[in-house]
Amino acid sequence: DYLSSRDIPNDVTVRINVAAGDYNLGPSSSIVAEHPKNDRIQIIGAPITFPSAATINQNTHSAAEAAVRGVWGTRFVVQGATKAWLYVKNHTLGLIKNIAFIGDNTAGQHGVLIGDWENGLGRAGALIEDCWSHRCGEDGFRANYNSEVLSLR
């Protein structure tokens, strides 16, 4: 909400550094990114050491979640149904980096939704780097209609 009423000049990048820790969102909460200059906004978690597939590929949900928590210090966590932890409604978000999205496998949970899902209109996008989605009830990262995701690593 803080940025929603402020202009971001074309020569400025707004970096939101999210410290390590769990950020719990309630069942009906979402972070909505819909600033007209979303492309100037970056949401960056704590640095990670990128794991091997064997680190994350565990036999149980609890072992896999422990492995995810060991790699990603910044985690958006939700219990119960929610549309998405991060909802990029219109415009392209500059960068989402070093964040794990952790759910409890409730139907309807999404990690990141790109595009206007409520109205089925508009175009959005995001650059996603070194993020992870674990136990989302639906999709970890999903782009809608004319939307796009550029994923790195």
Side-chain angles (χ1 to χ4, degrees):
D1 287 342
Y2 176 81
L3 289 174
S4 63
S5 62
R6 290 169 171 72
D7 181 45
I8 302 173
N10 291 334
D11 62 341
V12 171
T13 298
V14 175
R15 178 173 288 161
I16 301 168
N17 290 313
V18 186
D22 285 357
Y23 295 88
N24 297 304
L25 297 175
S28 59
S29 300
S30 291
I31 298 169
V32 180
E34 59 180 336
H35 195 282
K37 294 188 178 174
N38 264 354
D39 63 321
R40 312 293 315 152
I41 299 172
Q42 300 177 345
I43 303 172
I44 301 177
I48 67 168
T49 302
F50 202 78
S52 67
T55 302
I56 303 300
N57 189 13
Q58 301 293 322
N59 291 329
T60 66
H61 292 299
S62 58
E65 184 169 330
V68 168
R69 287 178 175 279
V71 174
W72 280 270
T74 303
R75 300 170 297 267
F76 291 175
V77 180
V78 72
Q79 300 294 313
T82 190
K83 187 150 191 93
W85 294 284
L86 180 59
Y87 184 17
V88 183
K89 211 168 184 181
N90 292 302
H91 313 289
T92 295
L93 187 61
L95 179 63
I96 306 164
K97 182 176 180 176
N98 296 348
I99 298 174
F101 299 89
I102 300 175
D104 64 359
N105 210 32
T106 298
Q109 282 180 346
H110 299 276
V112 178
L113 286 179
I114 310 294
D116 189 342
W117 290 83
E118 294 167 356
N119 301 309
L121 304 169
R123 182 169 193 247
L127 173 62
I128 300 174
E129 182 178 347
D130 293 342
C131 290
W132 191 269
S133 171
H134 178 70
R135 294 201 72 209
C136 295
E138 297 294 329
D139 301 302
F141 302 93
R142 185 170 180 179
N144 190 30
Y145 302 110
N146 289 329
S147 299
E148 61 190 7
V149 174
L150 175 59
S151 178
L152 302 176
R153 237 193 266 180

